[in-house]
Amino acid sequence: SSELLTLTYGALVSQMLRDFENVDDVNKQLERVGYNMGMRLIEDYLSRTNSLRCHDMKDTADKIQQAFRMYLNIQPTITNWATTGDEFSLIFETNPLAEFVELPSDIGNLRYSAILCGCIRGALEMVQLEVQSWFAQDHLKGDGNTEIRVKFIRRLEDAIPAGED
Amino acid sequence: MVIYGVYIVSKSGGLIFNLDHNVPKVENEKSFSYPLDLKLEFDSKKVIVVFGQRDGITVGHVLSGINGVNVNGVTLEDGRDAKEVIENRENYPLNLRFHRPKMTTNEKIVLASTFYPLFAIASQLSPEPKSSGIEMLETETFKLNCFQTLTGVKFILISEPSQMGMEILLRKIYELYADFVLKNPFYSLEMPIRCELFDTNLQALLEQVEKN
């Protein structure tokens, strides 16, 4: 069951809030924890799925969607493509990390699930894609949906392993 | 089914893991009388047979013992110099033990970092654009299979030349790596792998493959 994950994550966030006192620092730390997780998680994803390298953002989006299905058992919808094709949104109907959470008003700018954004960034960086990802909407903050925006920055050409470029 | 070794090279080209598996130990002991009918070469680190191959002792073998006393490089365990002992007529007859030289960890690291540019050159030499690097390298006595992940980590497997299905085995090793190395919170990326769980699981996988 995913409840153990949900509760553990909740404990992590509340512990961080106690340790840092400053909500911005917590946001930053959560993003960093996610980034480090993503760097490791990508190998697990690749070894289980036999994925090939992505050559456009559509491909990447599909794979991120698949990864969410694999690891969190949710299927985000991919929409809101930018006309340039380098930016898209993941819409979540449910967010397993925030299932039992109500955000107190004094920490309104906490990005509770920032770990997910970090994870996406870290994982893609290991396959030589630099992206930016952030929460555009968050259910916890009263928005209708939970939405993560992912924007392509560049391909990390020097980091591409030989025999791959 | 014989697998000789597994190597993992990080994306920056450093050897982060190596495992010698099932390399047969070749050791020969024989009694010699004066004058010695083997030509030995004494370099600074070891005593090597350079000519005069017989009784299983072949060119390239390294001296590992004199009269039952182990030889470390060029000195005996009791402190005497191997060269002096062998050249002194009064010591004969002598029991000399030779074995196939083992690669030291340093030599393995050098080889791993030599393979790295070879892999890159192969992909550049290719007449077709977008070629992969070396995936298989075959010789008379072994076969080397290399699998590079999308993140740039190389998994290298040395096996018997007739061995089939090494690509599948490499993928399985990758899975073990993803599970037992990267999910170990105390492992830092790009560093040598010292994870006991990985070792045991890899060993079990290799044994299982060798049985079939």
Side-chain angles (χ1 to χ4, degrees):
Chain A
S1 121
S2 65
E3 279 184 24
L4 179 64
L5 171 76
T6 313
L7 296 174
T8 315
Y9 186 68
L12 173 76
V13 177
S14 64
Q15 183 65 45
M16 279 181 158
L17 281 168
R18 225 164 300 148
D19 288 351
F20 289 108
E21 292 167 2
N22 182 343
V23 177
D24 288 334
D25 285 350
V26 176
N27 286 338
K28 227 178 275 169
Q29 284 298 326
L30 284 174
E31 220 268 338
R32 229 177 77 191
V33 170
Y35 174 79
N36 288 326
M37 272 170 62
M39 285 174 91
R40 290 165 181 248
L41 206 55
I42 182 73
E43 302 276 13
D44 184 72
Y45 172 80
L46 292 174
S47 74
R48 289 214 232 162
T49 56
N50 290 338
S51 302
L52 300 173
R53 183 170 294 282
C54 302
H55 291 290
D56 64 27
M57 214 46 191
K58 289 232 160 46
D59 234 358
T60 312
D62 283 343
K63 285 186 172 137
I64 292 176
Q65 191 187 34
Q66 187 193 7
F68 271 107
R69 212 164 41 223
M70 264 172 75
Y71 293 110
L72 289 175
N73 203 17
I74 45 173
Q75 174 132 355
T77 325
I78 299 168
T79 52
N80 294 350
W81 280 96
T83 44
T84 43
D86 63 352
E87 199 178 329
F88 63 90
S89 288
L90 295 157
I91 308 271
F92 299 82
E93 274 165 27
T94 53
N95 177 0
L97 292 183
E99 211 171 322
F100 313 117
V101 179
E102 293 168 45
L103 223 49
S105 51
D106 58 324
I107 48 171
N109 55 346
L110 174 72
R111 288 194 293 277
Y112 186 80
S113 308
I115 202 166
L116 295 179
C117 297
C119 221
I120 293 174
R121 192 167 65 87
L124 291 185
E125 188 176 305
M126 289 299 274
V127 285
Q128 299 88 40
L129 284 176
E130 190 179 322
V131 297
Q132 233 170 35
S133 79
W134 68 94
F135 274 96
Q137 292 186 69
D138 195 338
H139 205 75
L140 288 178
K141 295 184 182 159
D143 298 326
N145 279 316
T146 301
E147 174 182 357
I148 294 182
R149 245 0 231 164
V150 179
K151 182 179 168 51
F152 171 89
I153 307 292
R154 66 192 178 106
R155 242 159 85 92
L156 300 162
E157 296 291 344
D158 348 317
I160 294 179
E164 289 282 350
D165 34 356
Chain B
M1 272 278 197
V2 182
I3 290 150
Y4 296 128
V6 178
Y7 297 81
I8 303 178
V9 180
S10 76
K11 69 175 172 192
S12 47
L15 183 67
I16 54 171
F17 179 81
N18 79 276
L19 171 84
D20 291 322
H21 187 74
N22 244 334
V23 180
K25 208 176 175 197
V26 177
E27 211 168 49
N28 286 293
E29 187 151 17
K30 216 181 125 28
S31 179
F32 291 90
S33 54
Y34 196 83
L36 197 63
D37 53 355
L38 286 172
K39 292 281 165 265
L40 299 179
E41 188 181 274
F42 301 85
D43 80 7
S44 58
K45 288 201 188 98
K46 49 192 181 291
V47 183
I48 319 164
V49 181
V50 288
F51 204 63
Q53 176 163 300
R54 67 190 185 94
D55 300 322
I57 300 169
T58 55
V59 169
H61 279 192
V62 170
L63 182 69
S64 68
I66 299 179
N67 289 338
V69 181
N70 286 335
V71 173
N72 293 326
V74 290
T75 49
L76 272 76
E77 243 170 18
D78 53 19
R80 286 180 294 165
D81 188 59
K83 185 173 184 178
E84 279 167 22
V85 176
I86 290 171
E87 283 175 352
N88 189 346
R89 178 175 204 149
E90 283 151 29
N91 288 330
Y92 283 79
L94 264 185
N95 254 326
L96 299 181
R97 189 174 70 227
F98 292 91
H99 72 125
R100 199 161 58 186
K102 259 192 167 165
M103 254 194 291
T104 62
T105 312
N106 258 336
E107 286 167 331
K108 282 176 190 156
I109 292 172
V110 171
L111 281 184
S113 40
T114 314
F115 183 74
Y116 186 80
L118 282 180
F119 185 94
I121 288 171
S123 82
Q124 284 170 23
L125 273 179
S126 159
E128 290 285 334
K130 302 229 174 270
S131 165
S132 75
I134 296 174
E135 287 181 344
M136 199 217 286
L137 196 127
E138 250 177 317
T139 76
E140 200 179 325
T141 51
F142 74 92
K143 191 167 80 177
L144 181 153
N145 280 79
C146 177
F147 163 64
Q148 177 169 259
T149 70
L150 295 185
T151 52
V153 182
K154 289 185 189 65
F155 291 82
I156 298 168
L157 196 67
I158 315 276
S159 64
E160 255 186 341
S162 59
Q163 207 66 278
M164 303 299 282
M166 289 299 105
E167 299 79 11
I168 302 162
L169 181 57
L170 278 168
R171 292 221 59 116
K172 285 198 181 135
I173 297 175
Y174 183 28
E175 276 175 41
L176 289 183
Y177 169 77
D179 279 346
F180 294 105
V181 178
L182 294 176
K183 287 182 195 162
N184 179 350
F186 302 108
Y187 172 74
S188 31
L189 296 176
E190 298 270 304
M191 293 307 279
I193 298 169
R194 303 198 201 292
C195 304
E196 220 163 281
L197 276 175
F198 178 67
D199 289 349
T200 45
N201 281 282
L202 179 60
Q203 203 81 43
L205 174 66
L206 294 183
E207 267 156 33
Q208 186 207 335
V209 167
E210 283 185 327
K211 255 186 235 154
N212 308 329

